[in-house]
Amino acid sequence: MISAVKGMNDLFGKRAVRWGRMEEDIKLLVSNANFTEMRTPMVEEIALFKRGVGETTDVVQKEMYDFLDKKGRHIAMRPEGTASVVRAFIEHGIAMNEPMPFKVFYIGPFFRYERPQKGRYRQFHQLGIEILGDETAQMDAEMIFTAFRVLTHFKIDAEVHINSIGCKECRPAYREKLVEYFASKKEHLCEDCKTRINTNPLRLLDCKICDPKSKYKDIPVMTDHLCGACDDHFKQLQKSLAIFHVPYIIDPFIVRGLDYYTRTAFEVVANTGGSQNAVAGGGRYDNLVADIGGPDTPATGFAMGLERLFDLIPEDFYSESMLSAGYALCDEAVDDLVHFAKHMSHHPIRFFADYKPKKFKKALQKADKTGAAFMFIIGEDEVKEKKILMKNMKTGEQKVYGQHEVMIIVR
Ligand code: HAM
């Protein structure tokens, strides 16, 4: 038997209905905040992610789905959306042609070769928003508020963790401090962190393998080493978050797994008592557009894992819309049932017709099995009189109506 590729899921039935409604709600929420959709290809040249996300990140080093195409071009399935949005922003000269800030959202699949487990897949979905052309802390606050707003819409209780990871001015000196601090502790670090000390020392702070942050209590943190401008930005961020009524925790160990961040970094963790996986994460990336070859453009954004969001939505958040089913009891009734199906299609009623004639008892069993709330029956008598029998499956009550009358009743 051929099964789906490991870590990739099929979606159908009730879950697909709920998923679709979740996406509709999200689109409405972000559209109201003036984000417009941007769709970029599922694949990009691998060089984009190497340069954008960072050569030394796990995403690029270990998790990329990549291949050579027929012309030998090195292509990667997108592991995230920010680099693609920035690539498109530069390629289409958006900085010159559109008013700034440029606000976009995307919803779609992303690919990372990770060890599959609950909430972690090899094909997963993200909602992302990106705001290009604005350097203010207030915009960071609005960006974080947007993530928070999505979660509160779905009645999810979540914690926002914020940090500042500085800029080109102040981070190098802090980085040195970190390298110095860990130099004497090398033997207690995991193999990856032994390399990270030289390549990406900030990542030591959130390593889940050797977990230095729970072993050592005096690790130097970036927030104590910010330059004046970054410190002001971080203070303003906190002030604006308070105005947006977003409760937050300052967490100096939020360093993020992607290399492009400057100043604001944040993650949102749901208060479920269970897994501590972040449902959303993001921050500011003021150098990325220039690093990929575009004009100097400050930017900020986040992405939210939709599988993780989906699992957090309370069971009763969406009530199922009522289903109605139509049956013909004889060959002569089939045309009337076709007419009836056509009429029903003009109304916001979930309806399906079964065009194979069957006995009343059989139709009842079928309607019951599909979970129909109302069943419609057309038999010989109904054909003659242009009538239809409607049965309320819950109460058992049944009544004959004119075939055009029922639409008003079930609505
Ligand atoms: P990220 O933290 O790598 O950030 O991913 C964002 C969210 O995607 C995570 O918090 C998680 O919910 C979800 N996610 C990531 N990997 C998986 C996986 N394997 N399975 C299921 N869900 C997953 C970014 O991707 C950045 N591009 C966010 C950003 C946008 N920063 C600025 N703008």
Side-chain angles (χ1 to χ4, degrees):
M1 192 186 70
I2 300 177
S3 20
V5 174
K6 194 172 175 207
M8 305 201 180
N9 301 309
D10 299 311
L11 182 67
F12 56 93
K14 283 186 181 160
R15 278 178 71 85
V17 174
R18 276 174 78 87
W19 187 283
R21 292 180 73 180
M22 170 181 83
E23 284 195 356
E24 280 167 21
D25 283 7
I26 290 172
K27 283 183 182 169
L28 198 65
L29 284 169
V30 294
S31 308
N32 286 346
N34 199 30
F35 289 91
T36 55
E37 186 169 12
M38 180 180 254
R39 294 193 189 188
T40 60
M42 228 64 85
V43 296
E44 298 275 357
E45 282 188 29
I46 197 166
L48 175 69
F49 301 116
K50 285 191 175 172
R51 203 170 338 149
V53 174
E55 293 265 11
T56 62
T57 58
D58 283 356
V59 169
V60 166
Q61 280 193 345
K62 302 180 183 164
E63 297 166 3
M64 203 81 96
Y65 271 94
D66 59 325
F67 59 93
L68 295 178
D69 75 2
K70 291 195 188 339
K71 282 262 167 69
R73 284 175 287 243
H74 200 170
I75 305 291
M77 309 282 286
R78 59 182 191 180
E80 61 103 50
T82 313
S84 302
V85 167
V86 168
R87 196 255 321 128
F89 180 82
I90 299 168
E91 195 169 331
H92 303 288
I94 289 173
M96 266 94 72
N97 302 321
E98 299 279 342
M100 295 290 116
F102 181 64
K103 296 171 87 178
V104 292
F105 80 88
Y106 47 86
I107 290 183
F110 293 85
F111 305 86
R112 294 185 194 176
Y113 196 88
E114 297 196 75
R115 204 162 61 79
Q117 51 193 282
K118 191 172 162 48
R120 192 172 296 281
Y121 307 101
R122 291 184 174 170
Q123 177 179 313
F124 60 100
H125 297 75
Q126 283 185 345
L127 152 73
I129 69 160
E130 311 293 350
I131 305 165
L132 294 106
D134 191 298
E135 69 291 349
T136 64
Q138 288 83 350
M139 196 55 95
D140 284 351
E142 185 189 309
M143 180 274 292
I144 295 172
F145 172 65
T146 308
F148 189 69
R149 178 79 193 82
V150 171
L151 295 169
T152 49
H153 168 83
F154 290 111
K155 309 214 175 318
I156 295 165
D157 180 21
E159 241 171 42
V160 176
H161 294 228
I162 60 166
N163 190 19
S164 174
I165 54 168
C167 67
K168 273 184 182 158
E169 300 299 319
C170 49
R171 202 185 307 157
Y174 167 68
R175 194 187 142 117
E176 284 308 308
K177 277 224 152 61
L178 213 53
V179 174
E180 231 171 75
Y181 178 86
F182 280 110
S184 59
K185 302 178 171 60
K186 245 184 174 168
E187 70 273 22
H188 304 298
L189 301 177
C190 67
E191 285 314 304
D192 276 348
C193 281
K194 281 183 184 143
T195 320
R196 281 184 191 129
I197 283 208
N198 302 313
T199 57
N200 206 344
L202 256 71
R203 286 312 308 275
L204 263 73
L205 299 187
D206 72 345
C207 177
K208 306 234 165 29
I209 311 291
C210 54
D211 196 16
K213 78 170 178 201
S214 43
K215 282 194 203 126
Y216 310 109
K217 295 297 159 204
D218 56 349
I219 302 175
V221 293
M222 186 72 232
T223 39
D224 291 338
H225 297 84
L226 296 174
C227 61
C230 285
D231 196 42
D232 286 348
H233 199 274
F234 194 43
K235 287 197 175 105
Q236 184 60 56
L237 169 71
Q238 293 167 53
K239 196 172 154 203
S240 304
L241 281 175
I243 299 173
F244 273 118
H245 282 288
V246 176
Y248 60 86
I249 295 165
I250 297 177
D251 180 346
F253 295 100
I254 298 283
V255 286
R256 312 283 299 131
L258 315 158
D259 271 357
Y260 44 65
Y261 293 106
T262 49
R263 294 186 166 170
T264 307
F266 87 104
E267 281 180 3
V268 187
V269 182
N271 290 323
T272 52
S275 115
Q276 279 298 296
N277 277 339
V279 61
R284 176 157 285 285
Y285 48 98
D286 288 343
N287 304 326
L288 185 60
V289 181
D291 286 349
I292 297 182
D296 241 333
T297 311
T300 189
F302 77 80
M304 186 176 286
L306 292 188
E307 282 77 6
R308 294 184 191 176
L309 174 68
F310 186 85
D311 287 347
L312 292 167
I313 297 177
E315 199 57 48
D316 60 357
F317 188 79
Y318 290 117
S319 54
E320 255 181 74
S321 64
M322 266 193 305
L323 176 68
S324 298
Y327 299 93
L329 299 187
C330 55
D331 289 340
E332 296 74 37
V334 175
D335 282 351
D336 277 24
L337 185 58
V338 175
H339 273 293
F340 188 67
K342 165 108 184 358
H343 285 303
M344 289 300 252
S345 74
H346 294 299
H347 298 268
I349 294 165
R350 201 152 62 94
F351 174 78
F352 79 91
D354 181 339
Y355 299 112
K356 282 184 271 182
K358 48 184 62 55
K359 295 221 161 60
F360 185 88
K361 203 171 150 201
K362 189 88 193 160
L364 194 62
Q365 278 169 0
K366 284 211 140 195
D368 197 40
K369 208 168 166 201
T370 52
F374 292 98
M375 170 172 127
F376 293 97
I377 296 284
I378 307 178
E380 260 174 50
D381 293 348
E382 284 80 16
V383 173
K384 277 187 215 132
E385 293 160 33
K386 285 283 159 219
K387 298 261 167 163
I388 193 160
L389 176 98
M390 182 176 102
K391 187 176 175 71
N392 181 326
M393 298 292 287
K394 207 165 167 197
T395 61
E397 196 186 335
Q398 55 186 54
K399 211 171 161 188
V400 175
Y401 294 98
Q403 286 182 12
H404 293 265
E405 235 183 318
V406 287
M407 262 74 77
I408 300 141
I409 293 154
V410 279
R411 263 171 86 173

